[in-house]
Amino acid sequence: MAEPSRLTRPGPSGRLRRSLQALVLLGLSVLLVPAAQADDEVAVRWLEQLAPALNMTSYRGVFVYARGDRVHSMRIAHRFVDGMVQERLVLQDGGSGEIVRKGMNVICVLPHHGRIRLDQVIPSGPFAEAYTNEQVPVSRWYTAKLLGEDRVAGYDAVIIGLTANDAHRYNHRLWLEKSTGLLVKSHVGDPDGKVLEHFQFTSLDITDEIPDREFEIQTEGREVTHSLDEPVTARTLETPFMEGWDLSWQPDGFVPAAAPRTSQGRAVAFSDGVAAFSVFVEPKGQVSMPLGASRIGATTVYMRELDAGGGQFLITVVGEIPPRTARQVADSVRIDDALALH
């Protein structure tokens, strides 16, 4: 949209006539731009606000997260202070517990859940690292459209639809709060329109006035500390994250985004800027694991065994990709003998 023109003193009649003609032509050129194209451009601009809004907006609220037939509710407080993200998540059902993040450090307290794995997939929405990845041009892999407006948890929101351009990703529908760009609701769906995962704030307060006490641990129990992985940058992309193994195939558009820590073996997370999946390569343990694909909502877990260098390895692919794609990724893993001998 053109910026408003600045008023000037009238000049000679010829100059005024030419100015009026220019304004008429400008108006005609604006009218000739297809409305659909203009809406698509607006949708892309909204998407550009999504990544910074997820980290830099301060808010508190309660959200529900549904994956398949599993529905959970969590309370969250989030703020951005002195360049650092602070966040506290409290389980509202299914047992007590909380997760507190300050910068790259995470403390998890789940007193009644026994052993936990912090590298497992956590709910999407405000916590999805895929949405904060600014390296990938999302519009190459999805068609973005402005679908309209709505109200979520008392806030006005725009609705952005992301239609996958191939069969290796799901469709997404995002509700972004109009004043900040904060993600307040999202759907992940298959090509037939079935919603596989759903996230939505049921109450929300976007405010910078959140006291320090809301970010302190208040649950009694065993604390497990975890350090988040630094995001992959253009420089660190040259680092051989897949040292000892590689992929002979991966979906176009998915690039290395992080190297999750594991107790043993190697792992790399890939993102296309919206969706993400992780590949784990670990020595096979004594306990037999169910092989093949399983899916909860839009999250697929595909496991296979692989013999290499006289050893046996377990390959696991986890993420928001279709089962067929997860299988293709897992089948493409190749292990060097050097890794197999360690």
Side-chain angles (χ1 to χ4, degrees), residues 168 242 244-252 254 268 270 277-281 302-308 313-317 321 323-336 339:
H168 298 303
M242 293 179 285
W245 66 276
D246 61 16
L247 297 176
S248 61
W249 181 86
Q250 66 198 59
D252 289 339
F254 283 90
V268 174
F270 297 83
F277 68 87
S278 297
V279 182
F280 297 85
V281 179
Y302 186 88
M303 306 180 75
R304 67 177 287 246
E305 294 178 357
L306 178 62
D307 294 331
F313 290 81
L314 183 66
I315 312 300
T316 306
V317 178
I321 53 178
R324 182 176 298 179
T325 302
R327 177 177 180 174
Q328 286 184 252
V329 172
D331 288 346
S332 75
V333 173
R334 301 291 181 265
I335 298 178
D336 294 340
L339 173 63

Side-chain angles (χ1 to χ4, degrees), residues 105-120:
N105 296 317
V106 177
I107 299 176
C108 184
V109 184
L110 293 176
H112 302 301
H113 285 63
R115 185 178 177 181
I116 59 172
R117 285 185 56 186
L118 291 177
D119 58 1
Q120 292 177 327

Side-chain angles (χ1 to χ4, degrees), residues 59 61-64 76 126 152-153 182-184 199-204:
Y59 59 89
V62 175
F63 67 87
V64 292
I76 184 172
V152 178
L182 178 67
L183 182 69
V184 293
F199 151 82
Q200 179 177 347
F201 275 104
T202 56
S203 66
L204 178 63

Side-chain angles (χ1 to χ4, degrees), residues 188-215:
V188 182
D190 62 20
D192 296 328
K194 180 181 178 181
V195 176
L196 303 174
E197 292 188 9
H198 170 73
F199 151 82
Q200 179 177 347
F201 275 104
T202 56
S203 66
L204 178 63
D205 181 20
I206 299 176
T207 176
D208 292 325
E209 303 299 324
I210 306 178
D212 293 342
R213 66 176 180 275
E214 294 196 30
F215 298 92

Side-chain angles (χ1 to χ4, degrees), residues 138-144 161-173 188-191 254 272 274-275 320 322:
V138 172
S139 57
R140 288 188 60 185
W141 317 113
Y142 300 86
T143 299
L162 294 176
T163 302
N165 292 339
D166 59 35
H168 298 303
R169 27 202 130 224
Y170 291 118
N171 299 329
H172 295 254
R173 184 166 293 192
V188 182
D190 62 20
F254 283 90
D272 69 352
V274 174
E320 285 187 346

Side-chain angles (χ1 to χ4, degrees), residues 4-23:
S5 59
R6 181 177 301 173
L7 295 177
T8 58
R9 294 176 57 188
S13 59
R15 183 184 303 172
L16 179 60
R17 184 169 58 252
R18 288 193 297 270
S19 297
L20 290 173
Q21 291 173 344
L23 287 173

